[in-house]
């Protein structure tokens, strides 16, 4: 299903890094994201609202960095 704000998600359970690409062109990698949180995100009715409520508002729990998209 399509999200209004999120264009792409990628989760690596080995590193617990969730990469999120937004429709506005911004992209961030969130650390310390467990499989349980990823599964809840994927089941959420609104991925953007879930990200805001559960991950983005807790930068000390889920440190993030901006992803610079590499043009090929």
């Amino acid at each position: 299903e399509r999200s209004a704000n999120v264009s792409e998600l990628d989760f690596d359970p080995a590193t617990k890094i969730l990469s999120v690409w937004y429709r506005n062109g911004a992209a961030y990698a969130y650390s310390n994201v467990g499989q349980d949180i990823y599964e809840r995100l994927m089941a959420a009715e609104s991925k953007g609202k879930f990200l805001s409520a559960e991950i983005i508002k807790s930068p000390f729990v889920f440190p993030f960095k901006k992803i610079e998209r590499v043009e090929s």
Side-chain angles (χ1 to χ4, degrees), residues 21-47:
W21 287 267
Y22 294 94
R23 295 202 183 279
N24 66 6
Y28 295 91
Y30 300 93
S31 304
N32 299 337
V33 177
Q35 182 74 35
D36 56 331
I37 292 175
Y38 175 70
E39 287 172 8
R40 285 172 50 216
L41 167 64
M42 296 313 290
E45 196 171 310
S46 168
K47 309 249 183 312

Side-chain angles (χ1 to χ4, degrees), residues 47-58:
K47 309 249 183 312
K49 283 182 184 165
F50 184 92
L51 284 165
S52 294
E54 302 292 330
I55 295 175
I56 296 168
K57 76 167 190 179
S58 303

